[in-house]
Amino acid sequence: MTDKELAKKIGQGDAEAAEAFAREHYPAVLRLAFRLCGHREQAEDIAQETFLVARQKIGSFRGGSSLRTWIHRITLNEYRQWRRKRQTLSLIDHDLANHDAGINAFETGHVLANAMKNLPEKQREAFVLFEVEQLPMNEVAQVLGVPTGTAKARVFYARQNLRQQLEGRSEVIKDELQQSTI
Amino acid sequence: MNYNNQQSSDEIIDRELQALREPVESMHGVGDAIRTMQETPKSKRTLNLRWPIGIGSVAVAASAIILVGSLSTGKAYAGELHAISAAQLGQHTMIMKCANFVGHETPEWTTEWYLDHQRHASFEYRDHGRLQYMEVGDGTRRFTYSAGSTSPSGYVVKEQALIDEDTSSLMTIGTVDSYLKDDFFKARKIEKQTNVDLNGRTCDLYLLANGCYRIWVDQATRLPIQREVYSKGVTLWERDTYEYPATMPEDKFKEPTIPGITAFDYIAARKTVTDSFTQPGQVQTVGGVTISLKAMVKDENQIVALWTTSGLDGRTDFAVNLQVEGAQNQDKLGEVVESNLPSVDRTILNARLRVIYGQPFKLPTTVKIAVWSGDNGKLDKNGKPVKKFVGWATFAVDQVIDAPHIENLLHRPVQGTGEGIALNTKKKG
């Protein structure tokens, strides 16, 4: 079944098709939202909003991209709305910052997740889509709405930026791990 | 950066990426998503209004995703507000104005949005009245002007084309309940004052987060009618107002004439380009392969050749493709990239050469396109024909279409379709 046929079935109320779609894409949507926003509960909200929008729009899905690209794009839009709202709120208070303190600080993935927070937003979006979600570059470009070359450049600069942040970090991590086990 | 450092940083990145690729634990699981997909579609937020306004620099600058407004004219009534809140996309009229004080006594910049069914207009003013950015759209075409950081520019595109890279095209406005339910505000002091006067209108005032957010709310619909944001609860940072339903000033929806600015019409240019595909173009045959050069396009930093080949139709994995005499190249050779261009009988290939920014080259010029064919029917391990370089097709070119930004002409998709600015005839993906 093609993506367009699947979308049509869901649009017509086919429960099995709807379940298959949700099961296939929910993990990626949630992970993308979480890696972008950094808050688990907020990521679940973004994921839920994403599927609300997807349900509204799937009847008009035209097959101009794959459903995977399409749902990633909706997720990105929902994340961006969330982020803009947070930017305004952050004027008032900055205490939303880090929910991952404590023992989580030593979990694998934390170092990179923290470094990713310092990336320019466009680089971070491209990096997450390409390196975490492992979408092909042409799909990353489609999700971002930019040419493939631009998407490539953003991933490249993101990695370069992360390298600079993490220079010498390996020694620091060793120290942290030693202290945490004392 | 020395090699060892780069290597160890890359090792960290790659190792940590493995963890980030793991599934995220979910409290609610996939169940909610399944139920959502199985339900009859419903409005995302039942009392929200969705503004069909493209978020360009205006909206980003305003940082006003949650918008409120004033009813300074006093013309809006509860019934109308109810009607508005239930209205579907594009079925309402509104004016929203946003003054960004950012701590100063007078606004540093102001923005205005006008929405009238399918028509919309937005303006950003800097320096006490200097137009920085504007958009005017009628549902089919959109005019955009930007004073820019280097030079001003204007262009016309098909509506809903993604010109700005920020693709969230809709803004939302919720009832005050959307604020009150927000975790951020729930965790902080909320004060409500009833029957407060705002420009002659009786409303409720909510002071959120110790007065940092002040929202005047229509008593019947609970839709906000004005919002003020204060830094540290003291310094006025931003004031958003809007009126609805509103009498629209017609002059706001006219595509303006701006001295010194000739708006580039991407819709017309796209038609010129795609019309050329139905023409034979310049044809050269090299090694039994026919190359048809359909059009050349350039902007400030690249030259693009649009062509077809009888050699390996549809392939774009060629290493060597384009040379343009007289161009100050950044790269030695052009690469083939995909585009959202429609095909006629064969795939339109899109080879581009990056040049030094702003360096002109003279016409006529000589354009050389690499010619490839299959290697005597041989197939590679993936079953694709093995390609073989057979020579260069050489063309004398005396016409090149100028576009301020080629990506807008060739690549940018229309939202939700993956298609180009002018609608495609061939689906991709």
Side-chain angles (χ1 to χ4, degrees):
Chain A
M1 190 188 315
T2 66
D3 277 357
K4 197 172 179 180
E5 289 165 347
L6 177 63
K8 190 177 176 185
K9 280 193 166 188
I10 298 171
Q12 290 169 342
D14 185 320
E16 281 185 21
E19 180 172 346
F21 174 82
R23 284 195 187 283
E24 182 178 349
H25 295 290
Y26 183 79
V29 166
L30 181 63
R31 183 175 53 216
L32 174 60
F34 181 52
R35 294 306 170 204
L36 287 172
C37 81
H39 304 277
R40 198 179 302 269
E41 290 179 19
Q42 300 289 351
E44 297 221 29
D45 287 346
I46 291 170
Q48 189 59 21
E49 293 289 303
T50 297
F51 280 93
L52 277 170
V53 173
R55 181 63 190 98
Q56 280 181 289
K57 293 185 173 176
I58 201 159
S60 56
F61 177 76
R62 296 169 60 186
S65 65
S66 69
L67 274 176
R68 179 174 67 171
T69 305
W70 182 76
I71 193 83
H72 274 81
R73 192 178 179 87
I74 295 173
T75 310
L76 188 69
N77 281 344
E78 290 302 317
Y79 158 70
R80 285 174 172 175
Q81 292 214 22
W82 174 87
R83 175 165 54 86
R84 274 197 295 272
K85 184 178 173 184
R86 284 295 159 201
Q87 278 174 345
T88 311
L89 295 179
S90 66
L91 177 71
I92 297 171
D93 202 327
H94 297 284
D95 68 0
L96 284 171
N98 200 343
H99 285 192
D100 296 328
I103 190 65
N104 289 344
F106 302 106
E107 287 180 355
T108 309
H110 174 79
V111 171
L112 182 60
N114 250 1
M116 281 161 54
K117 287 178 186 171
N118 298 324
L119 290 177
E121 195 57 39
K122 288 176 180 176
Q123 287 180 21
R124 197 153 64 88
E125 290 174 356
F127 186 80
V128 170
L129 288 165
F130 184 71
E131 294 283 20
V132 180
E133 289 306 307
Q134 298 182 284
L135 294 186
M137 193 58 82
N138 66 328
E139 282 192 46
V140 174
Q142 278 188 306
V143 171
L144 295 174
V146 300
T148 308
T150 304
K152 270 185 199 171
R154 287 182 187 175
V155 172
F156 171 79
Y157 286 120
R159 197 168 183 101
Q160 198 174 50
N161 193 325
L162 290 169
R163 275 186 197 130
Q164 286 170 355
Q165 287 190 59
L166 297 175
E167 271 179 29
R169 181 63 184 164
S170 53
E171 286 72 27
V172 176
I173 292 170
K174 282 177 194 167
D175 291 346
E176 285 175 348
L177 284 171
Q178 283 171 354
Q179 286 171 15
S180 71
T181 53
I182 291 172
Chain B
M1 183 191 306
N2 65 43
Y3 174 74
N4 286 334
N5 268 346
Q6 177 170 324
Q7 188 182 35
S8 60
S9 299
D10 277 335
E11 284 171 357
I12 293 173
I13 292 170
D14 291 336
R15 186 191 66 225
E16 300 251 318
L17 273 172
Q18 295 300 324
L20 298 187
R21 288 170 187 156
E22 292 294 318
V24 176
E25 192 178 320
S26 167
M27 289 190 301
H28 304 294
V30 70
D32 286 348
I34 293 172
R35 281 188 288 279
T36 300
M37 292 306 296
Q38 289 176 335
E39 283 175 358
T40 305
K42 56 191 176 189
S43 172
K44 186 178 164 192
R45 300 174 186 88
T46 52
L47 280 176
N48 278 359
L49 302 177
R50 308 228 15 145
W51 287 52
I53 294 175
I55 295 188
S57 62
V58 176
V60 173
S63 297
I65 190 58
I66 305 170
L67 301 174
V68 293
S70 76
L71 292 170
S72 55
T73 60
K75 290 177 182 174
Y77 301 97
E80 288 169 320
L81 293 174
H82 275 303
I84 291 169
S85 67
Q88 298 300 306
L89 180 67
Q91 297 300 309
H92 47 268
T93 58
M94 285 190 218
I95 298 174
M96 195 282 284
K97 294 180 180 176
C98 178
N100 296 273
F101 293 82
V102 292
H104 297 89
E105 286 188 2
T106 55
E108 283 289 285
W109 76 89
T110 59
T111 53
E112 301 173 4
W113 285 270
Y114 299 86
L115 180 67
D116 180 13
H117 298 81
Q118 296 302 316
R119 300 191 300 171
H120 64 87
S122 56
F123 305 84
E124 177 189 343
Y125 297 97
R126 297 280 178 96
D127 307 330
H128 307 286
R130 179 178 61 79
L131 181 62
Q132 174 73 16
Y133 182 88
M134 70 169 293
E135 275 188 11
V136 178
D138 66 1
T140 58
R141 55 187 273 137
R142 178 179 358 139
F143 171 92
T144 299
Y145 164 77
S146 174
S149 56
T150 51
S151 58
S153 63
Y155 52 82
V156 178
V157 297
K158 198 176 181 71
E159 273 284 35
Q160 298 176 21
L162 297 179
I163 294 303
D164 299 303
E165 291 186 355
D166 190 342
T167 58
S168 304
S169 62
L170 300 176
M171 302 179 70
T172 59
I173 175 172
T175 67
V176 70
D177 299 313
S178 67
Y179 293 84
L180 302 179
K181 289 176 185 170
D182 190 288
D183 290 341
F184 182 88
F185 291 122
K186 274 200 301 190
R188 290 161 178 79
K189 184 181 174 186
I190 295 175
E191 183 185 341
K192 179 185 177 185
Q193 298 175 9
T194 55
N195 301 322
V196 172
D197 179 81
L198 178 67
N199 301 323
R201 178 179 176 79
T202 303
C203 55
D204 292 340
L205 170 62
Y206 286 81
L207 303 171
L208 308 179
N210 298 319
C212 291
Y213 255 68
R214 302 177 192 183
I215 305 174
W216 288 257
V217 177
D218 176 75
Q219 291 179 320
T221 64
R222 300 176 65 73
L223 283 169
I225 54 180
Q226 178 166 297
R227 178 187 72 160
E228 289 180 347
V229 180
Y230 287 80
S231 174
K232 302 188 186 307
V234 177
T235 309
L236 179 59
W237 205 261
E238 180 180 327
R239 177 184 293 133
D240 301 329
T241 63
Y242 67 98
E243 67 180 76
Y244 52 92
T247 303
M248 289 292 150
E250 280 302 314
D251 60 316
K252 298 290 183 187
F253 296 98
K254 290 178 183 166
E255 288 183 13
T257 302
I258 300 175
I261 295 295
T262 302
F264 185 80
D265 191 336
Y266 282 103
I267 302 172
R270 176 92 178 193
K271 187 171 186 309
T272 303
V273 171
T274 53
D275 282 353
S276 72
F277 300 165
T278 62
Q279 304 299 317
Q282 287 195 61
V283 180
Q284 294 281 329
T285 300
V286 178
V289 176
T290 302
I291 302 288
S292 302
L293 178 62
K294 302 290 188 177
M296 298 284 296
V297 190
K298 74 175 177 68
D299 66 11
E300 290 282 281
N301 65 357
Q302 55 189 323
I303 301 168
V304 170
L306 301 162
W307 46 284
T308 64
T309 175
S310 66
L312 292 164
D313 186 22
R315 293 276 291 267
T316 58
D317 53 341
F318 308 125
V320 179
N321 289 285
L322 179 67
Q323 295 181 4
V324 180
E325 188 180 79
Q328 302 291 309
N329 304 1
Q330 279 186 332
D331 308 324
K332 286 182 181 174
L333 298 161
E335 58 173 346
V336 170
V337 295
E338 291 184 32
S339 75
N340 286 306
L341 294 163
S343 292
V344 182
D345 52 351
R346 289 201 173 109
T347 305
I348 299 291
L349 293 171
N350 166 12
R352 59 181 48 202
L353 188 69
R354 296 186 191 283
V355 297
I356 295 172
Y357 188 83
Q359 289 291 318
F361 72 100
K362 290 179 182 174
L363 292 173
T365 186
T366 302
V367 172
K368 295 170 76 174
I369 294 175
V371 184
W372 297 79
S373 72
D375 188 3
N376 295 319
K378 292 179 189 168
L379 300 178
D380 64 17
K381 60 183 179 183
N382 298 317
K384 284 184 175 178
V386 173
K387 61 197 178 193
K388 179 184 175 188
F389 176 68
V390 294
W392 292 90
T394 305
F395 302 92
V397 171
D398 57 8
Q399 279 193 325
V400 177
I401 298 168
D402 268 300
H405 188 46
I406 281 180
E407 304 303 342
N408 285 342
L409 187 62
L410 304 184
H411 288 281
R412 290 293 169 86
V414 170
Q415 191 170 20
T417 67
E419 295 170 335
I421 282 172
L423 289 182
N424 219 339
T425 54
K426 180 188 175 187
K427 298 290 188 290
K428 285 180 174 287

